Amino acid sequence: MLSTLVTAAEETSPSPLLPATYDIFWSAICFIIILVVFWKVAIPKLTKMLDERSEAIEGNIAKADEAQKQAEAALEEYTRQLAEARAEAGTIRDAAREDGKKIVAEAKDAATTEAARITAAAHSQIEAERQSAFVSLRSEVGTLAIDLAGGVVGESLSDDTRAAAVVDRFLADLEASETAAK
C-alpha cells in the first residue's frame, strides 16, 4: 500500500499552490478535532474566566463607587462639624468678649465706688480736722487776744463770758474784713 501511494504521488506532479488531497483531508480532520476541543473545553473556560473577571471588575467598581460615596458623606459630615465648631468657637469668643467687657465695667464701677468712698472719707476727715483746728485755733487766738487785750486795757479779763464775747466779736470782724476784701 505504501508503494502504491508513493507511485501515485509520483505519477501526479504536485501543484505548488494546492497540496495533495490526503494532506487536505488529514489537515481538515486535525483542524476539526482541535476546533471541537477548543469549542467544548477552552472557549467555555475562557468565557467563564472572562465573566468572573468582568464580575470582579464590576464588583470592584461598585465597591469603589460605594467607598467614594462614603468618603463624600464623611467629607460633608466633617465639613458640617467643622462649620459647627467654628460657629461654636465664635459664640464662645463673643461670650468671652462680653464677659470681659462686663468684668472691666464691674471693675471700673467698683473702682469708681471705692474712689468716691475714699474721697468722701478724706473730705470728712479733712472737715473734721479743719473743725478741730478751727476750735483749737479759736481757743488759742482767744487766749492770746484776751492776754493782749488785758495788757492794752490794763486789767485782767478773766471773766470767761466777757472774754468769749470779745473773741467772738474779734473773729467776726476778721471774717467780715476778709469777705469784704474778696
Side-chain angles (χ1 to χ4, degrees), residues 8-20 22-23:
E10 290 177 0
E11 291 176 9
T12 60
S13 68
S15 167
L17 295 176
L18 206 56
Y22 65 89
D23 280 338

Side-chain angles (χ1 to χ4, degrees), residues 23-76:
D23 280 338
I24 294 175
F25 176 74
W26 288 111
S27 296
I29 296 279
C30 289
F31 179 74
I32 290 174
I33 291 172
I34 292 172
L35 182 67
V36 168
V37 168
F38 266 97
W39 194 273
K40 294 289 183 179
V41 177
I43 291 180
K45 285 184 180 180
L46 183 64
T47 306
K48 181 180 174 187
M49 182 185 70
L50 290 175
D51 289 343
E52 288 173 357
R53 186 174 238 172
S54 174
E55 288 174 6
I57 290 171
E58 288 174 3
N60 288 340
I61 289 173
K63 287 178 185 177
D65 287 343
E66 183 65 29
Q68 185 176 3
K69 287 178 185 176
Q70 289 176 351
E72 288 174 358
L75 178 63
E76 288 176 7

Side-chain angles (χ1 to χ4, degrees), residues 42-124:
I43 291 180
K45 285 184 180 180
L46 183 64
T47 306
K48 181 180 174 187
M49 182 185 70
L50 290 175
D51 289 343
E52 288 173 357
R53 186 174 238 172
S54 174
E55 288 174 6
I57 290 171
E58 288 174 3
N60 288 340
I61 289 173
K63 287 178 185 177
D65 287 343
E66 183 65 29
Q68 185 176 3
K69 287 178 185 176
Q70 289 176 351
E72 288 174 358
L75 178 63
E76 288 176 7
E77 178 68 18
Y78 170 75
T79 305
R80 184 187 60 77
Q81 288 177 352
L82 184 62
E84 288 176 1
R86 284 183 179 158
E88 184 176 346
T91 304
I92 291 170
R93 197 171 37 247
D94 291 342
R97 282 186 187 132
E98 290 299 319
D99 289 345
K101 287 178 183 177
K102 286 178 185 176
I103 290 170
V104 167
E106 288 172 0
K108 283 182 181 178
D109 290 344
T112 304
T113 305
E114 183 66 17
R117 186 190 63 79
I118 290 171
T119 304
H123 284 295
S124 65

Side-chain angles (χ1 to χ4, degrees), residues 162-182:
R162 252 182 18 185
V166 168
V167 169
D168 286 339
R169 191 172 28 123
F170 175 73
L171 289 176
D173 289 343
L174 185 64
E175 285 178 3
S177 67
E178 283 182 5
T179 54
K182 287 182 182 178

